[in-house]
Amino acid sequence: MSATLSHDHRPDPASPRAARIVTLSLEGLTMVGAAAGVQGFLAGAFDPLVDQLHEAWPLVDGRVLPAVALGGLVAVPQGVALFLGLRRHPRAADAGLVVGVGLAAWVLLQLPLIGWGSPVQWLFAGVGVAQAVGAAVWRAAARR
């Protein structure tokens, strides 16, 4: 379980192991954060946000749709990607790349609806980008 070494015996910054650890850590963080968000929606902690969403998009009428969307579009895919990575599935890096790009896109598409000032949204947009980069490095390094 040693890191890949370059010619001068320093760890290779693009080692598949390091990229895998970063990607899996971000998947776990995002899955837990999204699951907490689902609970928050269902418990009413985000009712002002639900009201704001309803004003912008009348289809959102209550807590359930935002909770289901967050769970189904973020928590479950992140959990599947994490599971694949922990099982060392050959497509785990691909799954990490897809869910990282998907997370960043999902969050960025929400910003016009909920406002540009939410630090949590910007944090998770960054997490999605970092996850996609980590997965891309993992994917490329594993194919060398």
Side-chain angles (χ1 to χ4, degrees), residues 33-102:
V38 167
Q39 173 60 29
F41 273 116
L42 294 175
F46 305 130
D47 281 352
L49 176 59
V50 172
D51 294 341
Q52 185 180 352
L53 288 171
H54 179 71
E55 288 175 19
W57 199 28
L59 177 67
V60 178
D61 188 24
R63 303 171 181 166
V64 174
L65 183 59
V68 169
L70 182 59
L73 296 174
V74 179
V76 170
Q78 292 284 336
V80 169
L82 177 61
F83 177 79
L84 292 175
L86 293 173
R87 301 283 301 167
R88 298 184 186 275
H89 190 279
R91 301 301 300 251
D94 297 331
L97 181 60
V98 168
V99 298
V101 169

Side-chain angles (χ1 to χ4, degrees), residues 12 75 96:
D12 181 354

